[in-house]
Amino acid sequence: MERIYFDHSATTPVDREVAKVMLEYMTEKFGNPSSVHSFGRETRKAVEEARNSVATLLGAAANEIFFTSGGTESDNLALKGIAFANRKKGNHIITTAIEHHAILHACEYLEKQGFTVTYLPVDENAMVNVEDVKNAITDKTILISVMFANNEVGTIQPIKEIGQLAKEKKIYFHTDAVQAVGNCHIDVNELNIDVLSLSGHKIYGPKGIGAIYIRKGVKIESTQHGGSQERKLRPGTENVPGIVGLGKAAELARIELDQRISHLTNLRDKLIKGIQEKIPDIKLNGHKEIRLPGNVNISFFYVEGESLLLNLDLKGIAASSGSACTSGSLDPSHVLLAMGLTHEVAHGSLRLSLGRGNTEADINYCLEVLPQILERLRSMSPLNANSKLAANNPCSQCDHH
Amino acid sequence: MYTEKVMDHFTNPRNVGEIENANGVGEVGNAKCGDIMRIYLDVQDDIIKDVKFKTFGCGAAIATSSMVTELVMGKTLDEALKISNDAVAEALDGLPPAKMHCSNLAADALHEAIKDYISKKGK
């Protein structure tokens, strides 16, 4: 059976060129970049070239890029590193209710350490209101952290405006751009970004590598201690194959960006339109236009996400859902709930995240099997447009969104 | 993560649907947790002549619903009341630990349906 991958927000395949260059830096060019000899010098050179490549993708300077193990580490370093280094200035952090857990759980940790965190709400499209950010600022605010684009529903936030506001108030602005890098044009200076997190495996690079952009002059301290690598901010022998792979992936992202955006936007819009035409009782989650080029997130009423995923998987299609069964907890996605979705509508959400390898034929196949799956699952469901669940189920009282 | 038996009952569920003049109906779960199971019974002379289900839920929820209908078809009410959620899971060669509590409610739905039948009969 042919397999179709629609889960690029979870991870992407490593580009063959990336894998090729990584292999070279595992087998032949294996030196420790800190070594003085020629083996060390050749890997040092490669690490610095990769740094340049990542910097170029973001419009940053090479010495503003630090390599980490991935998006989670970059987020933790940004939040904890800035919080602890600026403690004397203030103890207040502003973020949003729809951040990735790497941000939310780091914030919870900081709250235990005496910091105060404001979690801004979002509107029904998962959009943050710049006015809300403005109103949340106090004289104790040291950091604003708002994700560039949401990993579940794809909504792209007003980053430039929030950055401008932070700049005027002399507050550091961090953005988790793990989903946006390689999918959106990003220039850290134009967008007023002080700190940015990115990950290798979301942009056709390897897992276990990421980077953090830190604007020159930002006061930040390291969260791990050791040698002098990454200017002591992130000690530990460099993951050279990973770094080289990330550098290559960043280079490809820069070269292919416009092409990727137009290809994905085209497929995305075709898929959304097709589902809307073929399947009744659905809701598109996230902003209609201001969303990631490859993100489709739709709730199908009266069905549950995991059974939807299993049925798609039986047909060879890989996707993800915000239902509780797939989130690993008893509650569905915190993002969908923050947008005001009822539990049952959130349980029936399906995310199809497209990538550069997807084709029109993939979309057509999905549009052929998805309506059949929905029809079958709905015929088995006790829920329908007339179900009277309100009496024993408080969250059903507001099912008309 | 699911056993072959679970996937079999999930992909080819037995006894899906409603019984038009069911004399016992039971429903458990709620949409908040993501699982609702409804069991319909046709009981004659204390024997389950027919049983059908409708379920909103994950793979485990659908498979346990299907399995419980298979286990009780043709059984007496006393025998049916002895079937527990754990026995349903066991008949499916087990469920992932996370599913044992949230999605393994099919026997509860069956017992609710039997209670409904008994209370209706008493009137």
Side-chain angles (χ1 to χ4, degrees), chain A residues 306-324:
Chain A
E306 191 207 74
S307 48
L308 202 49
L309 290 188
L310 288 170
N311 273 294
L312 281 168
D313 188 43
L314 288 167
K315 296 280 184 190
I317 298 175
S320 75
S321 165
S323 89

Side-chain angles (χ1 to χ4, degrees), chain A residues 91-151:
Chain A
N91 70 341
H92 181 229
I93 295 164
I94 298 170
T95 187
T96 81
I98 60 160
E99 298 295 312
H100 189 273
H101 285 135
I103 295 288
L104 293 177
H105 291 164
C107 281
E108 281 170 26
Y109 170 77
L110 286 170
E111 284 179 291
K112 284 184 196 142
Q113 303 300 314
F115 291 88
T116 309
V117 182
T118 301
Y119 300 91
L120 296 174
V122 292
D123 68 13
E124 69 275 16
N125 295 320
M127 193 69 82
V128 174
N129 185 335
V130 182
E131 278 303 301
D132 287 348
V133 183
K134 197 173 182 176
N135 294 333
I137 294 173
T138 72
D139 57 355
K140 296 277 181 218
T141 309
I142 50 174
L143 174 66
I144 297 170
S145 179
V146 176
M147 70 194 334
F148 202 111
N150 184 266
N151 49 314

Side-chain angles (χ1 to χ4, degrees), chain A residues 30-51:
Chain A
F30 60 86
N32 185 325
S34 299
S35 299
V36 170
H37 47 63
S38 67
F39 292 86
R41 288 199 305 273
E42 68 187 359
T43 50
R44 166 61 55 208
K45 187 165 168 272
V47 166
E48 296 317 317
E49 280 171 11
R51 200 184 307 281

Side-chain angles (χ1 to χ4, degrees), chain A residues 16-35:
Chain A
R16 287 196 187 279
E17 257 189 81
V18 170
K20 196 175 146 205
V21 66
M22 287 178 70
L23 184 63
E24 188 184 338
Y25 281 89
M26 283 190 261
T27 50
E28 294 157 45
K29 300 177 178 173
F30 60 86
N32 185 325
S34 299
S35 299

Side-chain angles (χ1 to χ4, degrees), chain A residues 262-279:
Chain A
S262 85
H263 175 65
L264 292 178
T265 307
N266 183 27
L267 293 184
R268 175 196 75 189
D269 292 347
K270 188 179 156 81
L271 184 54
I272 292 175
K273 192 164 167 269
I275 293 174
Q276 285 171 334
E277 280 170 5
K278 291 183 171 216
I279 305 174

